[in-house]
Amino acid sequence: MQSASKFSILIALEIPAIFFSIIIFAYFAVNRTARSKFQNHGWLVLVTISFIQVVIDLPMPMSYYYAGRVIPASDLYCVWWTWSEFSLNTIGIFLMAWISIERYIFIFYSHTIFQGRFKKWMYHFIPIAICLCWTPFFYCLVVIISPYCSQTWSFDLIICGVPCYYIKKSVGQFNFLFNVAFPVSVISLVNILLFIRVNYEKISRHRRINWRDHRKMILQLWIISSIYLICWLALMSTKFVQITVMPTFMVDYLDIILFNVYLVPLFLPMVCLSTLPKLVRKLTRFIHERNRNKVGVTILIGVHQRIGGER
């Protein structure tokens, strides 16, 4: 895929992503009931992270695809780009992994796990805080402080080339296994486990779960997590084979696989919006009323002009 095509795709999706993110923020700002529900906190944080990616991080690869080189060509800019992109990407997949676990808990164990202030902090707020803090700290250590090596950046490559800590085999493998493979695997396994558990409970005679109440949460999880799995599973599988068996595996397609990761924060707001039926109905009603008003104004103007012409 040519750089011009990548730039066109990103800029075409960026504006709708910003627009839908603002709509979601406005919805939660005015809707106290939705904002106070614990099961919505993770989604709101995730959309916020994707919004930061869209407005702060994505302009940097867009600039590269447009110009064909890194602008400005400075080491400080490359450090900022690498740190922010790696941190935001991995925050997203860690949050998605925890949301998957938490959604499973909400469905099957909410009556015991989230009772009491201590348990709410322990099993809700603290895990989200860890997801937000761990990878920025890790990449601050290996990219900004960089005690393992001396970094030389390439201004002709996307994200200024590969960070030098990749040369330190143990650090590079830990980064891949813990910061990428682990959360992506958790997302996959929890969704598979949820699918099996849901079907088992449905056919079981001892139905302890009100599926009508939890159907929305299950569908939300499956729909939103599918974005991460589609874009990240390919990268995880390719990198795993390259590290363990064949270093040249899918090397000709690695550029496209890496580019697909940029699509996650762009599609996330649209998909999240589709899982909020009340908000979708309000938007649809607003658009219909606005179109009806436009038609009414046009008719009135036409009638007024006709009357004026007859006079």
Side-chain angles (χ1 to χ4, degrees), residues 1-283:
M1 188 186 297
Q2 298 296 322
S3 294
S5 301
K6 294 175 182 176
F7 173 78
S8 300
I9 292 171
L10 293 180
I11 200 168
L13 294 172
E14 185 182 32
I15 296 173
I18 293 173
F19 175 72
F20 289 127
S21 295
I22 293 173
I23 289 176
I24 293 172
F25 294 147
Y27 171 74
F28 281 105
V30 301
N31 192 328
R32 185 177 180 180
T33 303
R35 190 174 65 248
S36 63
K37 290 182 178 178
F38 271 36
Q39 59 264 37
N40 289 334
H41 292 172
W43 296 131
L44 187 56
V45 175
L46 190 63
V47 173
T48 303
I49 293 299
S50 76
F51 181 77
I52 294 172
Q53 285 184 273
V54 170
V55 299
I56 294 179
D57 176 55
L58 281 182
M60 291 185 279
M62 289 170 65
S63 172
Y64 172 84
Y65 291 133
Y66 181 79
R69 63 190 308 273
V70 176
I71 300 176
S74 70
D75 291 348
L76 184 61
Y77 178 76
C78 289
V79 170
W80 160 249
W81 184 0
T82 304
W83 177 81
S84 61
E85 182 160 312
F86 283 21
S87 297
L88 291 169
N89 279 337
T90 48
I91 285 174
I93 53 177
F94 267 107
L95 275 173
M96 189 68 248
W98 171 246
I99 289 170
S100 300
I101 296 171
E102 189 180 50
R103 191 54 54 105
Y104 186 91
I105 295 172
F106 270 124
I107 294 169
F108 296 106
Y109 304 104
S110 61
H111 58 287
T112 56
I113 295 294
F114 296 107
Q115 298 301 317
R117 179 174 295 183
F118 175 78
K119 288 185 177 180
K120 288 177 181 178
W121 276 94
M122 181 63 64
Y123 299 112
H124 181 67
F125 295 109
I126 291 178
I128 292 176
I130 292 173
C131 292
L132 292 174
C133 296
W134 157 244
T135 53
F137 169 77
F138 174 81
Y139 291 116
C140 177
L141 178 64
V142 299
V143 175
I144 298 177
I145 300 175
S146 189
Y148 303 102
C149 53
S150 179
Q151 180 69 58
T152 302
W153 300 104
S154 176
F155 304 123
D156 295 321
L157 298 175
I158 186 75
I159 206 169
C160 304
V162 178
C164 70
Y165 72 82
Y166 274 73
I167 301 172
K168 190 75 174 178
K169 196 171 182 181
S170 58
V171 180
Q173 289 182 354
F174 172 81
N175 172 59
F176 168 73
L177 292 173
F178 189 77
N179 292 334
V180 178
F182 172 67
V184 173
S185 299
V186 169
I187 297 170
S188 305
L189 292 174
V190 173
N191 277 274
I192 293 171
L193 181 60
L194 180 61
F195 179 80
I196 295 172
R197 180 74 182 270
V198 166
N199 284 278
Y200 172 77
E201 293 285 348
K202 280 185 175 181
I203 62 176
S204 175
R205 293 184 178 181
H206 306 288
R207 295 190 177 183
R208 296 170 295 175
I209 307 297
N210 188 339
W211 296 113
R212 185 169 297 178
D213 295 340
H214 296 297
R215 185 185 305 162
K216 179 183 174 182
M217 286 200 295
I218 295 170
L219 290 176
Q220 271 185 337
L221 178 62
W222 285 343
I223 292 171
I224 297 174
S225 61
S226 65
I227 304 175
Y228 284 87
L229 293 177
I230 289 170
C231 296
W232 280 97
L233 266 179
L235 177 60
M236 185 193 79
S237 304
T238 301
K239 284 291 186 180
F240 183 77
V241 174
Q242 288 179 346
I243 291 173
T244 57
V245 180
M246 188 188 304
T248 59
F249 178 73
M250 297 287 286
V251 68
D252 294 334
Y253 302 96
L254 188 59
D255 182 56
I256 297 175
I257 294 172
L258 290 170
F259 174 77
N260 289 338
V261 173
Y262 289 131
L263 302 179
V264 174
L266 294 171
F267 280 114
L268 183 67
M270 308 176 200
V271 176
C272 285
L273 184 64
S274 69
T275 64
L276 298 170
K278 291 182 180 179
L279 179 55
V280 172
R281 284 196 294 269
K282 288 182 179 179
L283 285 174

